[in-house]
Amino acid sequence: MDRDEVDRALARLGEEHEAIETSLLALQDHAGRRLLEGAELTGVTKDRWASTEQAITLLWGYFDAYAAALRSARELRARRRWPNRDDLVELTDRLRGPSVTVAGSAAHPAPSVTGPARLSERFTLEGLVSRMNTLYARSLDLVVAADSVWSALPARIDLLSAELQRTRSLAHSVGVRPGEHPAGDDLESITHELSTLRAQVVSDPLAFWSPAPVSSAPGGGRPDTDRYDRAARALEDVRREIEAVLAVRQDSEERLLRLRDVLSRADRTLTEARSARGEVLAKIAASEVPAVSGPPTVLQERLATAAEYRRHAQWHRLSPLLESLEREAEEELLRARESLTAVTAPLAVRAELRGRLDAYKAKVARHGMAEDPLLIERYDAARRMLWSAPCDLRAAEQAVLRYQRAAGEVLVPRQSGPRDSTGHQGES
């Protein structure tokens, strides 16, 4: 190396010395490192931090050796303004050759940090910088990861625990307790999970760290919040359940009144269906009339149980009972209406046939054909069938159809009317 190359190399190495020193001091003062030093660690964090502590100690040993070698090279360069050949040879050896010896016993490196333990190692200055950069990146990665987990999870767990306490207090006020309501058991489970989770996060943060698949930056990754997220979702489900119970306490009387009304309507509809069935059996012959079920006594008994729950403020039991009762009461009312419709179907058919017969008679009368003997005969036959009891619907329907066909045959010629010489139809 000539003099200019030596000066440039010394300047570059000096800049690297400052950068490394700044980084090491920042690592030394990093909040995550101080927390790791003071925490009672367990699990993977305990093992990795023990190795990282040795790496940081080794880093300072490397840095001291690097600083001493750089200082020695600077002193050699400062002897003469114009170094002679021997000076340049020696400077070249110090700046480019394996001139730095680091005693392994001084730093006590673990085999897992730098490979198999050695009594001493020799480095070039650039090689030593590369080694320090590698150890620094690994150490900083661990420190940043632990700090990120500690910064993210414990505070969130504490907030969720505070929300849990509020929910527990609210649950207790409406009778939701462990062993008496599933939501009370869930609250106990969430409480235990959050307590366990926080203790594990504090003592073993790296167990809750998900490194990025590909990342060159220290601390690349994110805290693993899966367990926290599950606990948060479980608490939200419980909170909604408690709100439902509260809603029951506020509007239970109104809902019970609505239930009584729905069941009463279903009972009246079934009573009407039973009465209509007797009428149909008496008035309609050869017709299959479905049976009608009895009153919804089981639902009435459950409704009485719901009222009892309300009187004793057992809201956690009243809430699911009301929900099922409301659904089943509406279904019961629908079944009652369907039963009434099915039972009265023959009467509806008879009414439709009566209306059709009278409509055709009125139409015939408008066209002046009311006195037609065939129409009178067929009308009287259909009317006798439809207004007699019991009524044979099949025969009555055939009689109405015969009357319709006869009316159609009589009305068609009159509706077509005479045609004039131009071929246009005249008025009828």
Side-chain angles (χ1 to χ4, degrees):
M1 299 174 67
D2 59 25
R3 187 188 67 168
D4 292 338
E5 289 176 324
V6 168
D7 290 342
R8 286 196 297 271
L10 286 171
R12 177 176 52 79
L13 292 170
E15 292 173 356
E16 289 181 345
H17 174 273
E18 292 180 2
I20 292 170
E21 184 178 31
T22 300
S23 298
L24 289 176
L25 290 173
L27 178 61
Q28 193 72 13
D29 293 335
H30 198 287
R33 189 199 64 80
R34 292 198 299 270
L35 288 172
L36 284 164
E37 282 187 339
E40 294 183 5
L41 302 176
T42 61
V44 63
T45 306
K46 180 179 180 180
D47 296 338
R48 290 185 59 188
W49 175 240
S51 177
T52 300
E53 275 192 307
Q54 293 178 346
I56 293 174
T57 302
L58 185 58
L59 264 172
W60 282 105
Y62 283 156
F63 177 73
D64 291 340
Y66 178 85
L70 179 60
R71 183 169 57 253
S72 176
R74 283 173 171 171
E75 291 172 354
L76 178 58
R77 173 63 186 89
R79 291 178 187 174
R80 298 180 181 86
R81 182 179 180 185
W82 300 97
N84 57 31
R85 177 176 174 77
D86 292 340
D87 293 339
L88 292 174
V89 169
E90 186 174 355
L91 284 168
T92 299
D93 181 63
R94 293 189 182 189
L95 297 178
R96 291 185 174 176
S99 58
V100 185
T101 301
V102 179
S105 59
H108 302 290
S112 60
V113 176
T114 61
R118 302 174 185 175
L119 294 177
S120 64
E121 291 183 272
R122 292 181 62 83
F123 297 92
T124 63
L125 287 172
E126 290 186 356
L128 190 56
V129 169
S130 177
R131 172 65 64 84
M132 285 190 289
N133 285 338
T134 299
L135 290 178
Y136 174 79
R138 292 177 185 172
S139 302
L140 183 62
D141 185 73
L142 181 142
V143 169
V144 170
D147 187 54
S148 297
V149 173
W150 278 332
S151 298
L153 275 175
R156 295 171 69 178
I157 293 172
D158 290 342
L159 289 174
L160 191 62
S161 297
E163 178 64 23
L164 173 65
Q165 293 305 315
R166 289 192 291 270
T167 304
R168 283 169 62 94
S169 176
L170 191 61
H172 191 272
S173 70
V174 294
V176 176
R177 299 179 178 86
E180 299 180 8
H181 192 280
D185 297 333
D186 291 340
L187 285 174
E188 285 297 300
S189 175
I190 296 169
T191 301
H192 180 266
E193 169 63 6
L194 288 182
S195 176
T196 303
L197 179 61
R198 195 184 193 287
Q200 292 175 350
V201 166
V202 170
S203 66
D204 191 9
L206 296 183
F208 299 88
W209 179 252
S210 296
V214 179
S215 176
S216 59
R222 64 173 184 82
D224 181 359
T225 62
D226 286 349
R227 285 177 59 183
Y228 168 84
D229 293 337
R230 285 195 297 271
R233 287 193 296 269
L235 181 58
E236 178 63 19
D237 292 341
V238 172
R239 188 183 62 79
R240 284 196 294 266
E241 177 70 18
I242 301 304
E243 288 178 351
V245 173
L246 283 171
V248 168
R249 184 173 68 177
Q250 294 169 357
D251 60 8
S252 58
E253 180 61 25
E254 181 181 351
R255 291 173 69 180
L256 286 171
L257 288 174
R258 285 200 302 267
L259 274 170
R260 292 190 183 97
D261 178 64
V262 171
L263 291 179
S264 176
R265 282 187 285 157
D267 193 16
R268 290 196 302 270
T269 302
L270 288 174
T271 300
E272 183 180 354
R274 285 191 290 273
S275 175
R277 186 173 187 273
E279 180 183 355
V280 169
L281 291 174
K283 294 181 178 181
I284 306 296
S287 179
E288 295 181 359
V289 184
V292 180
S293 63
T297 55
V298 174
L299 292 182
Q300 292 288 358
E301 292 173 358
R302 294 177 64 196
L303 181 61
T305 301
E308 190 71 14
Y309 285 160
R310 184 181 183 278
R311 279 193 296 272
H312 292 87
Q314 294 178 315
W315 312 113
H316 59 291
R317 294 181 178 176
L318 180 59
S319 175
L321 180 57
L322 279 180
E323 290 179 3
S324 63
L325 273 175
E326 286 168 341
R327 181 179 62 255
E328 293 171 18
E330 290 294 337
E331 292 172 353
E332 182 65 27
L333 178 59
L334 179 61
R335 282 194 295 269
R337 288 170 174 171
E338 291 174 346
S339 180
L340 178 60
T341 301
V343 165
T344 57
L347 294 177
V349 172
R350 188 185 67 172
E352 188 273 334
L353 291 174
R354 286 177 173 181
R356 195 193 316 171
L357 181 66
D358 288 342
Y360 267 88
K361 181 183 180 183
K363 184 176 181 180
V364 168
R366 286 199 305 272
H367 289 83
M369 301 298 295
E371 302 301 324
D372 186 275
L374 178 62
L375 293 179
I376 292 174
E377 177 189 350
R378 293 193 174 180
Y379 174 80
D380 289 343
R383 193 177 190 285
R384 279 195 302 273
M385 291 183 183
L386 287 171
W387 268 267
S388 64
C391 171
D392 187 335
L393 284 180
R394 295 184 181 88
E397 183 179 13
Q398 293 301 317
V400 172
L401 289 174
R402 285 195 296 272
Y403 179 74
Q404 286 181 236
R405 285 195 293 269
E409 291 171 357
V410 171
L411 293 177
V412 167
R414 295 197 40 93
Q415 288 177 343
S416 60
R419 296 183 180 272
D420 57 21
S421 60
T422 61
H424 291 90
Q425 181 175 315
E427 294 183 357
S428 60

